[in-house]
């Protein structure tokens, strides 16, 4: 084993081997993979080996498609058979609600290039002869499903990587990892030490243990997972003889089952409700090619459904039950990317669907390490989506929930209860007493809407029980004054003598003058958006507010670019600062009643920010509101939040004050064509494409990050445009990822939407090519399997002339 290398990859499963291969293919050949045993000695060897392109996040689905298409290349390069069988498959629906969900997948597939078709249950039975069509209401055919040889694929990656110059060290157990003063990593093994510039944690079942070596507690947990293999089945042989093909894959979501042919029989796996964690606190290092004791009683309820849905299974014997552990993150997606505060330490773990996602994970991580960017929008997999609040106990609760719901429908208005409430603000109980229905954002409880006694959400793809109540909240804001809790925003303080110059380089906007705020896009080197904030220039430093879910993501970026001389300090304030917002035509009257400060229109203009007392409490108040109405954001230390809330509510009675939650806020911002982070604003869109170019100071002296690329985008016009549409929709509204049709062809996609109650319009926001972005007609948006007429809405539905907001 060499003593120095550029990259050490820890873990010889399919993910680690993929990372090694992609690094070598991209030109980094001084790379070494360390495996404590033989390759595939974790979850890989006992995996069922299925592969599919379907994923709830379209960007992850693209990487899954890439993974499947990659197998031919690595087989040819390595000379190692991968055992890939692209059989195609059917996704089955036993209920109309499930069929609506499948129609959404078909719609996404239209702009992702996935070959999906809605078919009847009878047509599904003609393709997959073991199913009983009377048990289903419909299905979707997927031509790209299949299965493979897990060992063959892993060895193909490794052999291909070695041919390109990479090295693999088996039976080499990593025992510790120490960061050296120069930032490099000393990797200590049972065979000696190796110093590396980068370390990749692809430890699989041992990812937690590898993370702990550098002081990191990763939110991953292994769950026992079972599948059975039947004896040879005459129905299988008859089909093979008749067609010359294998029986295709089937996923029975309502039965919590997946099936495929295995030699002369069938493989049936289940994500049972009564999931069982494995090795909850520490994974034993001596665990290898062992299996766990089967527990058929635990999966019996799912098998009963399976035998009813697939009657041929009633007449065959079970040859083997495989029970082995797989790791999951709390939401079931991988943990990929650089770790904040540990330069040169990378994650590629929690990849439970390794044979669908492993290639995409390897590609993204190699791009990130070599080029500084993953080359795709992988927010759904980014390790930074979790913060310190994702403790071991939290992870345990959420992984159990996720496993038990692996094949369950997640409705757009459904909030999952496990691990909650965890983080709450001081007014949590006060809002609960007012009927708050809670969601969660970056671990923090946030009010979604306020329900009268006895009314709760009824989960649905269509408008639900909250509809009229959210409409009332919107009406309160537009006609009187509303109050909302906004502590879920991320808040940052920037201090130091170099702060101004640093911010001028980090942010693309013109910096505001003292006592003023501005909207501040943040770009990557390629000119794409990596953040959008409000930036305030205060007497004692700078204040930034942004998306709460991206706090760790943005802090990682900020800290990466801090000057080495200590002239700039940035702090994520988190729970140290809480927030309330008031908005509506009576907002100024309300605020004037509770403060001695002059907040007249002349004295406190739009985008001003200052420190004032509200009641007895010191507050930081900015005249801005995401509602697009006359409004104020109030930032206050948590010990004062209850007092400020009570003061505002008491004083607001004469003005008709009411509470509003994030669903009403969504309806309000849609009336203003306002985008949001992780939907309209993502690192695949440029500022011109996203409509934020008016906040980019192209001519400022500072050479801000992404400036050259932004100027070039302005010169060429970019490729896309963000647009708002009014849909002719009834009973349901878009939620995101629906296709946008133009003159009979799919040309774009929806990023978000909903019902704008104030204007009584169903609104969709999304991206289309710039060539058609201003066409007067021809647009349709697909929703629940039907295409609905849509028209461009270039001007905001509410306050298009900014009279209310700026008045």
């Amino acid at each position: 084993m060499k003593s120095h290398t550029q990259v050490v990859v820890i873990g010889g499963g399919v993910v680690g081997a993929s990372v090694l291969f992609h690094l070598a293919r991209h030109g980094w050949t001084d790379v070494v993979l360390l495996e404590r045993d033989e390759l595939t000695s974790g979850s890989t060897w006992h995996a069922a080996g299925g592969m599919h392109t379907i994923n709830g996040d379209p960007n992850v689905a693209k990487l899954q498609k890439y993974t499947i298409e990659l197998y031919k290349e690595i087989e040819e390069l390595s000379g190692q058979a991968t055992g890939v069988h692209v059989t195609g498959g059917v996704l089955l629906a036993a209920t109309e609600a499930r069929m609506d969900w499948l129609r959404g997948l078909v719609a996404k597939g239209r702009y992702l290039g996935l070959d999906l078709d809605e078919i009847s249950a009878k047509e599904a039975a003609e393709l997959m002869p073991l199913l009983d069509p009377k048990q289903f209401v419909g299905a979707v055919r997927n031509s790209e499903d299949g299965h493979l040889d897990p060992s063959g694929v892993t060895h193909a990656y490794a052999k291909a990587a070695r041919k390109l110059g990479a090295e693999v060290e088996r039976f080499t157990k990593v025992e510790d990892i120490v960061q050296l003063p120069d930032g490099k990593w000393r990797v200590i093994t049972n065979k000696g030490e190796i110093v590396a510039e980068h370390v990749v944690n692809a430890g699989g079942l041992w990812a937690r243990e590898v993370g702990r070596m550098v002081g990191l507690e990763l939110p991953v947990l292994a769950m026992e997972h079972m599948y059975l293999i039947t004896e040879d089945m005459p129905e299988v042989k008859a089909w093979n003889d008749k067609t010359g093909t294998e029986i295709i894959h089937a996923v029975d979501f309502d039965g919590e089952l997946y099936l495929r042919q295995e030699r002369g029989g069938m493989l049936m796996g289940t994500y049972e409700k009564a999931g069982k964690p494995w090795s909850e606190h520490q994974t034993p290092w001596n665990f290898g090619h062992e299996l766990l004791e089967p527990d058929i009683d635990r999966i019996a309820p799912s098998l009963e459904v399976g035998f009813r849905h697939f009657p041929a299974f009633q007449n065959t014997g079970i040859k083997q039950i495989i029970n082995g552990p797989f790791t999951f993150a709390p939401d079931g997606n991988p943990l990929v990317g650089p770790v904040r505060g540990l330069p040169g330490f990378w994650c590629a773990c929690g990849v439970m669907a390794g044979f669908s996602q492993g290639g995409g994970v390897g590609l993204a991580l190699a791009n990130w390490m070599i080029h500084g960017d993953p080359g795709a929008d992988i927010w759904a997999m980014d390790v930074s989506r979790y913060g310190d609040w994702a403790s071991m106990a939290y992870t345990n609760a959420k992984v159990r929930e996720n496993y038990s719901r692996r094949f369950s429908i997640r409705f757009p208005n459904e909030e999952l209860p496990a691990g909650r409430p965890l983080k709450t603000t001081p007014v949590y109980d006060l809002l609960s007493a007012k009927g708050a229905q809670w969601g969660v954002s970056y671990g923090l409880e946030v009010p979604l809407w306020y329900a009268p006694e006895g009314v709760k959400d009824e989960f649905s793809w269509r408008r639900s029980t909250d509809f009229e109540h959210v409409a009332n909240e919107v009406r309160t804001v537009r006609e009187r004054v509303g109050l909302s809790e906004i502590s879920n925003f991320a808040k940052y303080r920037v201090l130091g003598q170099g702060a101004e110059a640093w911010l001028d380089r980090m942010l693309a906007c013109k910096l505001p003058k003292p006592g003023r705020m501005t909207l501040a896009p943040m770009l990557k080197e390629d000119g794409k958006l990596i953040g959008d904030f409000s930036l305030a220039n205060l007497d004692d430093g700078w204040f930034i507010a942004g998306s709460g879910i991206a706090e760790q993501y943005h802090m990682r970026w900020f800290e990466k670019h801090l000057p080495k001389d200590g002239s700039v300090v940035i702090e994520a304030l988190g729970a140290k600062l809480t927030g309330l917002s008031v908005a509506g035509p009576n907002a100024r009257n309300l605020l004037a009643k509770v403060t001695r400060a002059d907040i007249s229109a002349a004295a406190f203009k739009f985008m001003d920010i200052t420190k004032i007392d509200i009641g007895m409490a010191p507050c930081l108040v900015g005249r801005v509101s995401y509602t697009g109405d006359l409004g104020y954001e109030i930032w206050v230390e948590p010990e004062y939040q209850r007092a400020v809330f009570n003061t505002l509510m008491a004083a607001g009675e004469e003005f008709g004050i009411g509470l509003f939650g994030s669903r009403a806020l969504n309806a309000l911002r849609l009336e203003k064509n306002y985008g949001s982070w992780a939907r309209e604003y993502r690192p695949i869109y440029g500022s011109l494409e996203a409509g934020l170019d008016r906040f980019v100071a192209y001519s400022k002296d500072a050479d801000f990050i992404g400036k050259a690329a932004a100027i070039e985008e302005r010169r060429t016009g970019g490729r896309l445009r963000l647009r708002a549409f009014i849909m002719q929709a009834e009973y349901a509204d878009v939620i995101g990822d629906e296709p946008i049709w133009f003159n009979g062809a799919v040309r774009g996609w929806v990023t978000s939407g909903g019902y704008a109650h104030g204007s009584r319009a169903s609104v969709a926001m999304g991206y289309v090519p710039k060539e058609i972005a201003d066409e007067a007609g021809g647009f349709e948006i697909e929703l629940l399997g039907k295409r609905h007429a849509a028209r461009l809405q270039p001007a905001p539905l509410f306050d298009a002339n900014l009279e209310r907001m700026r008045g």
Side-chain angles (χ1 to χ4, degrees):
M1 183 175 71
K2 61 173 66 174
S3 61
H4 290 75
T5 189
Q6 191 170 11
V7 183
V8 162
V9 179
I10 301 173
V14 65
V15 175
S18 171
V19 171
L20 188 77
F21 164 73
H22 282 91
L23 286 170
R25 189 176 71 166
H26 283 60
W28 279 20
T29 55
D30 182 17
V31 292
V32 179
L33 184 149
L34 304 181
E35 165 54 44
R36 68 183 180 90
D37 202 321
E38 283 282 7
L39 298 181
T40 78
S41 293
S43 297
T44 297
W45 77 271
H46 59 73
M51 60 183 190
H52 55 87
T53 56
I54 297 302
N55 190 279
D57 185 284
N59 299 288
V60 177
K62 291 177 186 176
L63 291 177
Q64 292 183 189
K65 182 178 173 67
Y66 163 82
T67 298
I68 293 172
E69 293 172 346
L70 178 65
Y71 288 136
K72 182 179 180 181
E73 177 184 338
I74 63 169
E75 186 171 89
E76 292 175 350
L77 180 58
S78 67
Q80 167 72 51
T82 59
V84 169
H85 296 243
V86 181
T87 63
V90 286
L91 310 174
L92 301 165
T95 66
E96 288 297 337
R98 174 64 66 183
M99 201 61 224
D100 281 341
W101 180 78
L102 288 178
R103 290 183 181 113
L105 292 183
V106 173
K108 288 180 188 178
R110 298 196 202 284
Y111 68 84
L112 291 173
L114 304 180
D115 187 10
L116 304 172
D117 293 299
E118 181 181 341
I119 59 176
S120 68
K122 181 181 177 182
E123 289 172 313
E126 292 170 356
L127 295 170
M128 202 289 184
L130 303 185
L131 67 84
D132 177 3
K134 295 191 296 293
Q135 303 293 327
F136 302 98
V137 300
V140 164
R141 182 198 61 82
N142 181 4
S143 66
E144 295 171 290
D145 274 8
H147 60 93
L148 44 72
D149 171 19
S151 177
V153 165
T154 305
H155 283 279
Y157 276 128
K159 287 181 179 180
R162 282 196 291 258
K163 281 192 173 183
L164 294 169
E167 296 182 26
V168 175
E169 295 285 346
R170 298 173 302 146
F171 305 103
T172 306
K173 177 177 175 287
V174 174
E175 297 177 337
D176 202 5
I177 307 170
V178 179
Q179 190 163 31
L180 299 171
D182 63 358
K184 293 182 179 179
W185 296 93
R186 178 173 160 236
V187 182
I188 302 166
T189 80
N190 61 334
K191 291 185 177 179
E193 300 182 2
I194 182 169
V195 174
E197 297 174 33
H198 302 272
V199 172
V200 178
N201 178 2
L205 292 174
W206 295 269
R208 287 180 307 182
E209 283 64 38
V210 173
R212 287 166 184 165
M213 293 177 186
V214 296
L216 180 65
E217 188 66 40
L218 286 167
V220 291
L221 175 70
M223 297 289 290
E224 295 188 14
H225 180 68
M226 279 180 278
Y227 61 87
L228 61 85
I229 298 172
T230 72
E231 303 283 357
D232 288 356
M233 299 173 66
E235 296 88 350
V236 172
K237 184 177 188 305
W239 179 266
N240 296 162
D241 292 345
K242 174 184 176 183
T243 66
T245 64
E246 289 183 82
I247 289 182
I248 65 174
H249 278 229
V251 178
D252 177 4
F253 292 99
D254 300 282
E256 300 162 341
L257 303 165
Y258 59 89
L259 303 91
R260 69 167 176 84
Q261 184 172 336
E262 175 68 14
R263 299 185 183 274
M266 292 293 294
L267 181 152
M268 177 186 283
T270 175
Y271 287 93
E272 70 281 3
K273 294 296 185 187
K276 182 180 179 182
W278 177 78
S279 193
E280 295 181 67
H281 306 298
Q282 188 167 359
T283 305
W285 285 105
N286 60 356
F287 184 80
H289 281 81
E290 299 102 322
L291 290 172
L292 308 177
E293 190 69 26
D295 183 359
I296 197 166
D297 290 340
R298 198 166 77 239
I299 63 174
S302 293
L303 297 184
E304 289 176 9
V305 177
F307 292 173
R308 185 170 70 251
H309 287 187
F310 304 88
F313 279 81
Q314 299 173 20
N315 305 316
T316 190
I318 297 174
K319 182 165 64 176
Q320 187 178 14
I321 298 177
I322 306 294
N323 185 17
F326 287 87
T327 56
F328 294 78
D331 60 4
N333 278 339
L335 300 172
V336 180
V339 176
R340 177 190 166 202
L342 296 173
F345 190 87
W346 304 77
C347 282
C349 49
V351 190
M352 61 77 51
F355 296 101
S356 297
Q357 299 175 342
V361 168
L363 173 68
L365 200 67
N367 281 334
W368 216 334
M369 296 174 73
I370 296 170
H371 305 298
D373 187 271
D377 184 358
I378 67 160
W379 166 250
M381 300 194 297
D382 197 316
V383 66
S384 70
R385 70 188 187 276
Y386 291 106
D388 294 342
W389 46 271
S391 63
M392 184 184 294
Y394 170 89
T395 298
N396 192 302
K398 294 305 288 187
V399 168
R400 285 174 183 245
E401 179 183 64
N402 176 269
Y403 185 93
S404 72
R405 294 179 50 90
R406 188 74 185 164
F407 285 160
S408 298
I409 297 173
R410 174 74 183 271
F411 291 102
N413 62 333
E414 185 175 7
E415 298 295 323
L416 303 183
R420 299 175 52 205
L422 178 59
K423 292 167 60 179
T424 60
T425 63
V427 296
Y428 176 80
D429 61 322
L430 301 179
L431 301 183
S432 294
K434 298 287 188 179
Q437 304 299 297
W438 296 96
V440 66
S441 173
Y442 201 62
L444 180 69
E445 296 293 317
V446 295
L448 302 174
W449 63 288
Y450 292 86
E453 188 172 351
V455 178
K456 291 186 177 180
D457 263 334
E458 292 180 4
F459 308 136
S460 172
W461 296 111
R462 291 161 175 79
R463 294 169 188 165
S464 187
T465 48
D466 68 332
F467 190 79
E468 64 177 286
H469 306 292
V470 172
N472 290 334
E473 293 173 25
V474 169
R475 192 175 303 112
T476 294
V477 174
R478 291 294 189 234
E479 296 178 1
R480 302 189 301 276
V481 59
L483 185 149
S484 67
E485 223 266 10
I486 58 170
S487 300
N488 58 304
F489 279 83
K491 292 84 60 180
Y492 311 90
R493 179 185 292 119
V494 184
L495 304 172
Q497 62 180 12
E500 183 171 347
W502 180 74
L503 287 168
D504 217 12
R505 169 166 164 70
M506 292 297 296
L507 303 176
C509 63
K510 180 180 179 181
L511 299 190
K513 295 178 180 180
R516 294 285 292 166
M517 307 169 64
T518 191
L519 295 180
M522 185 164 69
L523 310 181
K524 299 184 296 167
E525 286 82 354
D526 62 1
K528 304 301 184 184
L529 289 163
I530 197 169
D532 73 300
F533 307 97
S534 60
L535 171 68
N537 187 345
L538 307 178
D539 294 337
D540 56 354
W542 299 82
F543 175 72
I544 300 174
S547 173
I549 61 172
E551 181 183 293
Q552 192 90 335
Y553 176 83
H554 286 137
M555 280 298 289
R556 184 177 65 192
W557 180 263
F558 287 141
E559 290 173 347
K560 176 183 176 181
H561 292 90
L562 284 175
K564 306 296 184 186
D565 60 6
S567 61
V568 180
V569 177
I570 183 168
E571 178 188 7
L573 297 172
K576 295 179 182 178
L577 200 65
T578 57
L580 299 168
S581 173
V582 292
N586 282 328
R588 181 182 289 119
N589 295 332
L590 168 60
L591 202 58
K593 188 177 177 181
V594 296
T595 184
R596 296 181 66 247
D598 183 358
I599 62 159
S600 63
F604 198 26
K605 298 182 290 295
F606 178 63
M607 298 302 278
D608 276 357
I609 186 167
T610 189
K611 294 178 180 179
I612 63 175
D613 290 345
I614 294 180
M616 296 182 289
C619 303
L620 175 66
V621 180
R623 202 190 133 184
V624 66
S625 175
Y626 194 44
T627 65
D629 215 316
L630 171 65
Y632 305 85
E633 290 181 350
I634 301 165
W635 302 105
V636 58
E637 292 175 355
E639 55 266 37
Y640 298 116
Q641 193 192 29
R642 288 177 73 94
V644 173
F645 175 83
N646 287 328
T647 296
L648 291 169
M649 290 299 291
E653 286 186 10
E654 72 170 281
F655 304 113
I657 195 170
L659 298 173
F660 69 101
S662 61
R663 291 185 184 168
L665 183 61
N666 184 61
L668 293 161
R669 65 101 182 171
L670 288 172
E671 287 190 312
K672 293 291 292 182
N673 293 359
Y674 286 168
S676 63
W677 177 253
R679 301 303 307 182
E680 286 71 39
Y681 309 142
R682 296 185 76 139
I684 53 174
Y685 305 125
S687 54
L688 174 63
E689 293 176 324
L692 295 180
D693 53 309
R694 64 189 185 278
F695 302 111
V696 175
Y698 294 98
S699 61
K700 74 175 181 177
D701 292 336
D703 187 21
F704 60 85
I705 296 172
K707 183 176 183 178
I711 291 172
E712 179 64 12
E713 183 192 39
R714 184 171 63 164
R715 185 186 71 79
T716 63
R719 188 172 64 89
L720 302 169
R721 290 293 184 273
L722 176 63
R723 290 292 184 261
F725 299 87
I726 305 300
M727 287 177 59
Q728 298 302 311
E730 297 181 2
Y731 312 119
D733 306 287
V734 299
I735 57 174
D737 300 326
E738 296 86 358
I740 300 174
W741 296 71
F742 179 74
N743 287 346
V746 174
R747 300 296 305 278
W749 55 90
V750 172
T751 49
S752 70
Y755 194 78
H757 293 274
S759 300
R760 297 183 180 180
S762 186
V763 178
M765 298 188 72
Y767 281 91
V768 295
K770 66 180 180 183
E771 293 79 12
I772 63 170
D774 298 310
E775 292 288 336
F779 288 103
E780 296 173 299
I781 295 176
E782 186 173 347
L783 175 62
L784 297 177
K786 297 180 180 179
R787 284 150 62 176
H788 300 261
R791 60 176 173 82
L792 280 173
Q793 182 62 36
L797 289 165
F798 172 77
D799 195 27
N801 296 323
L802 309 180
E803 294 173 1
R804 275 266 284 264
M805 187 170 68
R806 293 178 179 274

